[in-house]
């Protein structure tokens, strides 16, 4: 068994750094993390300070005497506090209540514009033209009676760090130096069947040999191969066939083993940050996948960002940069992407889209657009490994070749849909900026919607038979087809979102200002929300690295349907059943995901109000 304890440092205080005179000496900051973030005085009571005790927050107090830090380090800590406060302030400014219905612009502003650009008297504030985050939807005015100040632990992304990097270390049932071969094969099968199928960034035969050698032959050491092997084992523990996964929950043996393997991997991953090979990027990306699987989005984003940074030295990116400098008209789509670049392109693409999605969802700083979908994805498709995708007629592929073929077909299909979603987001935003009048914008958008619908249907029709969502039952889906089906529903939600918001923003008696086309598209939007909850039903209790996004999308649909009913809109058939399915999902995940608790309470109170009114 390899000793995992970190080597000790030299005793005594750190000597003052050069340039000490340039930094004023700061008193050591001993406040807990919560009080430091709030910039308030902390009384440092043990085990919890007074403020954390009053709000029920986890009080995390530093065990390190910061007075031994040199002035430059204290300055860095002070700057980090400022950045943390900036993130919090930015988030609070974005999570605003849906504005009331009122004229789009003040009269004196309109008077200064050309007559053809002035909004009509019936114009109104539309709100968002792209789907909002559920954290914003729950603050809509129709839910104002249910909104309460969020518990400190329910702030988006505010999960306890101990659940990932637990202290003391978690001890699983499987020792690192005593792995049973049958157990290892089971973990590898789980990983390649249920995790790798969505992001094929590894060569399966080579990786299986590497993991077996690490666990069964050479033993776990501090190498990159051992780090990757441990992460794969961790993901194998927390992965299972599509469907409810109650056996993978905190405290269950599989979950505990996964945490033990993951923590062991993280004691080795630091050395990979200084390497320049692909293994470091793969380890970082898969660490982010694990963190998403156990609902730790902040940690996941950090890993995805580091993985993306580790990809920047890859040869195919270097070639693209060189050709761009040599030819201003060069496009990456024209670049010759060889099969040797396959896994480099795959890990780059996976890290890129994962970092983008999470950075937008968590409202992290330095993100230049308001919606992840409005950022165009890289212009090239990863190059699939040729032999796995072009089998000769009559040939019987090996199981790993079948998995690789299916994984890459899914991967390319998902990438193409993401790019379509991204492009439609940009077009809708451009339409909105082109037509300041809300009524005019809605009419132009309704002209465009049939084309958008046709593009979505064209993508669905192009899917391989194994992933076809036409004339198939969602109950028969595996995880890959379920993901594609639900992504398609997301696209339709995007297409109809602005018209649905228009109907929500105008009370029933005022909707004569909207055209019949706008009202029809608004109703189609509600149907998309019902369809989302039905399509996701087989996976509402399934744990995988996309579960958190699924929970948020379904919660948004539940709240939107309840808001539409409150507004007196014409509701689609069986919408109530769909809402109760969503409530069941929230009840299932609430014990593990604190962020879900206020959404569940809002849904329950809205349903109680609806039921009471019916009687």
């Amino acid at each position: 068994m390899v000793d995992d304890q970190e080597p000790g440092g030299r005793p005594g205080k750190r000597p003052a750094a050069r340039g000490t005179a340039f930094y004023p000496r700061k008193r050591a900051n001993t406040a807990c993390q919560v009080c430091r973030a709030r910039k308030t005085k902390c009384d440092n009571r043990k085990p919890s300070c007074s403020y954390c005790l009053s709000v029920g927050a986890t009080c995390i107090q530093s065990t390190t005497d910061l007075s031994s830090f040199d002035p430059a380090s204290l300055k860095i800590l002070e700057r980090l506090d400022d950045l943390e406060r900036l993130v919090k302030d930015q988030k609070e400014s974005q999570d605003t209540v849906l504005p009331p219905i009122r004229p789009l612009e003040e009269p004196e502003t309109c008077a200064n514009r050309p007559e053809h650009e002035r909004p009509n008297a019936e114009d109104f504030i539309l709100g968002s033209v792209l789907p909002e985050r559920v954290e914003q939807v729950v603050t809509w005015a129709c839910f104002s009676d249910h909104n309460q100040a969020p518990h400190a632990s329910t702030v988006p992304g505010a999960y306890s760090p101990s659940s990932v990097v637990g202290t003391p270390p978690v001890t699983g049932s499987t020792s690192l130096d005593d792995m049973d071969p049958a157990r290892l094969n089971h973990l590898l099968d789980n990983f390649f069947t249920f995790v790798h199928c969505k992001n094929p960034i590894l060569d399966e035969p080579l990786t299986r040999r590497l993991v077996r050698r690490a666990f069964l032959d050479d033993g776990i050491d501090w190498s990159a191969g051992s780090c990757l092997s441990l992460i794969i084992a961790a993901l194998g523990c927390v992965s299972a066939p599509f469907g409810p996964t109650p056996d993978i929950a905190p405290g269950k043996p599989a979950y505990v083993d996964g945490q033990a393997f993951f923590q062991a991997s993280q004691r080795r991953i630091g050395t990979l940050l200084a390497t320049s090979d692909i293994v470091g990027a793969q380890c970082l990306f898969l660490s982010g996948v694990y963190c998403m699987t156990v609902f730790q989005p902040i940690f996941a984003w950090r890993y995805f960002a580091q993985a993306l940074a580790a990809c920047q030295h890859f040869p195919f990116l270097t070639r693209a940069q060189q050709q761009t400098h040599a030819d201003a008209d060069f496009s990456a789509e024209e670049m010759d992407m060889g099969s040797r670049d396959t896994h480099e392109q795959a890990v780059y693409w996976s890290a890129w889209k994962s970092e983008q999605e999470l950075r937008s969802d968590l409202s992290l700083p330095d993100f230049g657009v308001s919606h992840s979908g409005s950022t165009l994805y890289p212009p090239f498709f990863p190059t699939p490994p040729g032999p796995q995708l072009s089998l000769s007629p009559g040939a019987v592929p090996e199981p790993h070749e079948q998995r690789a073929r299916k994984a890459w077909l899914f991967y390319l299909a998902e990438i193409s849909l993401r790019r379509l979603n991204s492009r439609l987001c940009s077009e809708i935003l451009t339409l909105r900026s082109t037509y300041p009048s809300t009524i005019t914008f809605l009419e132009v958008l309704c002209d465009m919607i049939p084309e958008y619908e046709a593009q979505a249907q064209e993508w669905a029709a192009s899917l391989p038979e194994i992933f076809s969502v036409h004339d198939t039952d969602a109950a028969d889906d595996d995880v890959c087809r379920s993901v594609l089906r639900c992504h398609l529903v997301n696209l339709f939600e995007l297409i109809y979102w602005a018209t649905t918001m228009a109907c929500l923003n105008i009370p029933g008696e005022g909707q004569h200002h909207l055209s019949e086309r706008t009202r029809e598209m608004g109703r189609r939007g509600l149907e998309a929300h019902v369809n989302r909850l039905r399509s996701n039903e087989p996976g509402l209790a399934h744990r995988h690295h996309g579960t958190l996004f699924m929970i948020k999308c379904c919660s948004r649909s539940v709240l939107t349907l309840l808001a539409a009913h409150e507004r007196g809109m014409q509701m689609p058939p069986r919408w109530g059943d769909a809402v109760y399915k969503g409530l069941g999902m929230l009840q299932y995940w609430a014990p593990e995901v604190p962020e879900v608790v206020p959404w569940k309470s809002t849904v329950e109170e809205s349903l109680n109000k609806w039921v009471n009114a019916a009687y």
Side-chain angles (χ1 to χ4, degrees), residues 252-300:
K252 298 289 186 178
Y255 191 97
V256 173
D257 285 348
Q259 293 288 73
F261 284 126
F262 182 74
Q263 290 175 5
S265 74
Q266 298 311 290
R267 290 192 288 274
R268 294 158 173 82
I269 203 169
T271 59
L272 302 182
L273 295 176
T275 63
S276 59
D277 58 44
I278 191 175
V279 178
Q282 291 168 336
C283 287
L284 290 164
F285 174 75
L286 291 175
S287 294
V289 170
Y290 181 87
C291 288
M292 286 300 295
T293 305
V294 296
F295 304 122
Q296 297 292 328
I298 285 289
F299 287 96

Side-chain angles (χ1 to χ4, degrees), residues 306-568:
Q306 290 169 346
L308 187 59
C311 294
Q312 298 309 308
H313 68 276
F314 286 169
F316 81 92
L317 286 177
T318 302
R319 294 200 308 273
Q321 292 170 355
Q322 292 173 345
Q323 288 181 266
T324 301
H325 291 317
D327 182 0
D329 297 326
F330 169 76
S331 171
E333 291 181 320
E334 305 170 4
M335 192 170 67
D336 180 21
M337 293 288 185
S339 59
R340 67 183 182 277
D341 301 316
T342 291
H343 295 110
E344 291 181 353
Q345 296 170 34
V347 71
Y348 171 75
W349 232 104
S350 293
W352 197 98
K353 58 99 172 175
S354 299
E355 192 274 341
Q356 289 283 307
E357 288 173 338
L358 266 181
R359 183 150 48 133
S360 176
D361 184 71
L362 297 173
S363 296
L364 295 171
D366 299 327
F367 193 68
V369 294
S370 59
H371 189 277
S372 64
S374 60
T375 298
L376 293 176
Y377 285 90
F380 62 86
F381 281 88
T383 305
Q388 283 90 342
L389 293 183
S390 57
L391 298 171
S392 59
V396 179
E398 295 292 332
H400 71 85
E401 293 176 329
Q402 294 177 351
R403 284 191 290 268
R405 176 180 174 83
K406 182 178 178 180
W408 273 92
L409 289 174
F410 165 82
Y411 196 50
L412 297 177
E414 187 194 30
I415 288 174
S416 65
L417 184 59
R418 288 181 182 277
R419 293 177 67 177
L420 175 58
N421 186 296
S422 175
R423 183 166 53 79
L424 294 190
C425 282
S426 297
E427 289 187 14
I428 292 173
L429 289 174
T430 300
L431 284 178
R432 186 60 176 127
S433 62
T434 304
Y435 300 98
S437 165
T438 300
I439 297 296
T440 304
F441 162 71
L442 291 172
E443 288 303 305
V444 175
L445 178 61
C446 286
D447 290 336
M448 297 298 300
I449 283 179
E451 172 61 25
Y452 295 159
E453 292 172 326
Q455 293 180 38
Q457 296 295 350
E458 181 181 359
W459 174 86
S462 69
L463 288 174
E465 183 178 356
I466 192 173
F467 296 130
S468 176
V469 296
H470 285 310
D471 301 323
T472 57
D473 192 341
D476 299 327
D477 286 352
D478 61 7
V479 67
C480 289
R481 186 162 66 179
S482 177
V483 168
L484 293 178
R485 186 189 300 273
C486 296
H487 282 348
L488 181 60
V489 175
N490 293 346
L491 184 62
F492 280 109
E493 179 197 29
L494 163 69
I495 292 172
Y496 304 127
W497 180 265
T499 55
T500 303
M501 288 294 293
C503 297
L504 284 173
N505 264 339
I506 296 184
E509 64 274 9
Q511 290 199 5
H512 68 276
H513 294 304
L514 299 176
S515 68
E516 176 56 35
R517 287 196 310 167
T518 299
R519 295 197 295 271
E520 170 60 24
M521 296 305 170
R523 288 191 289 268
R524 291 189 193 180
L526 296 183
E527 291 172 358
H529 289 292
V530 172
N531 191 23
R532 164 181 284 142
L533 292 161
R534 291 176 180 171
S535 298
N536 277 285
E537 184 176 4
L540 290 178
H542 178 71
R543 180 189 296 274
H544 68 119
H545 74 270
T547 300
L548 185 59
F549 286 126
M550 182 271 295
I551 293 173
K552 291 190 173 189
C553 288
C554 288
S555 299
R556 180 172 65 217
S557 288
V558 169
L559 292 167
T560 302
L561 289 169
L562 289 171
H565 179 261
E566 176 78 14
R567 278 294 196 179

Side-chain angles (χ1 to χ4, degrees), residues 131-152:
E132 297 183 9
R133 296 165 52 233
V134 62
E135 292 87 354
Q136 295 169 309
V137 174
V138 79
T139 64
W140 285 355
C142 57
F143 302 124
S144 58
D145 293 339
H146 315 314
N147 292 334
Q148 300 176 354
H151 188 281

